Amino acid sequence: MRGAVLSQVDDLAVKEVPTPSPGPGEVLLRVGANTLCGTDVRIKSGAKTQAVGLPVIMGHEVAGHIAEVGPGVEGFEVGAPAALMPGIPCRRCWECAHDLENACDLLRIVGYSIDGGLAEYLLVPAESVDAGCLFTVDADVPSEALALTEPLACAVTGHRLAPVEVGDTVLVMGAGPIGLLHLQLSQLSGARSVIVSQPGQQRRAHAERFGATVTVDPTIDDLAEVVGAQTGGRGADLVIICAGAVELVNEALTLSRTGGRVNIFAGLPGDGASQIQGNVVHYRQVSLTGSSNTRRRDYQTALGLIASGRVDTASLVTHRYPLSRLDAAFASVTARDGLKVAVLPGADATST
């Protein structure tokens, strides 16, 4: 089969590799789509090294159909649409025992150190199957929509930590794919209004298409004034930071109401050091939380939201490439000339 092998930093190439065959406890997935994100770019460039082991077939946002089931595996029907949660928690550490498996120190991730979805087939390891990380759906949902279960699941985890309450005004800082998923989840949770802050007209237009109450270009407009107008001067009930800029942390605190909530969802560059006004937290009782990765129960929730059509992930896919045009796919992600880029390993057509 063909697979995109990262042999060393910045050496990613599509090669002929052996087609895996499932052994005891394993499942073979025929990959329908693998969507790309900024983390893939960072792994390829060497900017991200934690949990990465080379050589590896890249790709962690993956979905397809069950192709073959190994001995001893039950509950998976050949041909069924399936999606894979890439993180495999150890299920033994303190974090896993306290419902924090997304923060498991021993987390192993498909596409990081285990061969992933940028290939025609993916061998789901027995440890992943046994942990319950492989999910099937009854609905015939396109693989490119199911592949986005992983980022949606991360957003679901974030919402559990910093929930939207009915009638809230939510400020989403950033209108990339993650911001648009948070926008949809906020609407589903009963938000009265969702303000989306994003420089650049193109991504704000996407936010408007997904139903944002108001969009703001913070480089031109007064974001505090807009938030004040939407909240009677109180401030946002919840601010979700979906862009990796350290200066947004303090801004988010100042834009939240007394007793409000701020969630740092996006990873921040370097050590993430940010200067904040601690007295805003102290006197106005603002809760500051963070969120990264996801848990199995949140992945299952996200999958159900996609399969039922309550969250639209299919519309986030703006670019599609076959494996033979992998360089162009990564270039599209780097240039940010769309929303989500999907690689379709079984396709031989040009991008659409």
Side-chain angles (χ1 to χ4, degrees), residues 29 33-35 60-64 81-89 99 101-102 110 122 128 131-137 143-158 160 293-307:
L29 186 71
N34 189 107
T35 49
H60 64 279
E61 297 179 1
V62 58
L84 178 66
M85 189 182 95
I88 309 171
D99 201 23
E101 64 184 37
N102 55 308
V110 170
L122 186 157
S128 179
C133 297
L134 180 63
F135 298 83
T136 59
V137 295
S143 292
E144 61 190 51
L146 287 182
L148 291 172
T149 304
E150 192 273 341
L152 177 59
C154 293
V156 169
T157 300
R160 291 200 195 276
N293 217 315
T294 190
R295 299 172 294 191
R296 289 168 292 172
R297 67 187 180 109
D298 295 329
Y299 193 95
Q300 188 169 26
T301 297
L303 191 64
L305 291 172
I306 294 171

Side-chain angles (χ1 to χ4, degrees), residues 98-120:
H98 290 80
D99 201 23
L100 293 167
E101 64 184 37
N102 55 308
C104 172
D105 280 339
L106 299 175
L107 194 73
R108 300 181 68 221
I109 305 176
V110 170
Y112 285 45
S113 60
I114 301 168
D115 285 344
L118 287 174
E120 294 177 87

Side-chain angles (χ1 to χ4, degrees), residues 157-172:
T157 300
H159 275 247
R160 291 200 195 276
L161 293 167
V164 176
E165 298 178 359
V166 174
D168 274 355
T169 293
V170 180
L171 171 60
V172 177

Side-chain angles (χ1 to χ4, degrees), residues 231-265:
T231 63
R234 291 186 304 277
D237 299 288
L238 171 63
V239 184
I240 309 172
I241 302 172
C242 300
V246 294
E247 63 272 14
L248 294 183
V249 178
N250 192 62
E251 185 178 8
L253 291 172
T254 62
L255 291 171
S256 63
R257 65 164 171 82
T258 300
R261 306 174 300 284
V262 173
N263 181 256
I264 305 175
F265 187 86

Side-chain angles (χ1 to χ4, degrees), residues 311-334:
V311 170
D312 179 8
T313 55
S315 296
L316 294 176
V317 179
T318 55
H319 293 68
R320 299 164 183 83
Y321 295 92
L323 265 176
S324 59
R325 300 196 62 214
L326 188 64
D327 287 346
F330 269 86
S332 288
V333 177
T334 303

Side-chain angles (χ1 to χ4, degrees), residues 42-80:
R42 294 173 60 223
I43 291 173
K44 177 178 177 289
S45 70
K48 179 174 179 60
T49 58
Q50 185 177 4
V52 175
L54 306 181
V56 69
I57 295 175
M58 290 186 61
H60 64 279
E61 297 179 1
V62 58
H65 293 81
I66 303 297
E68 191 177 346
V69 176
V73 176
E74 298 179 352
F76 295 98
E77 182 179 346
V78 171

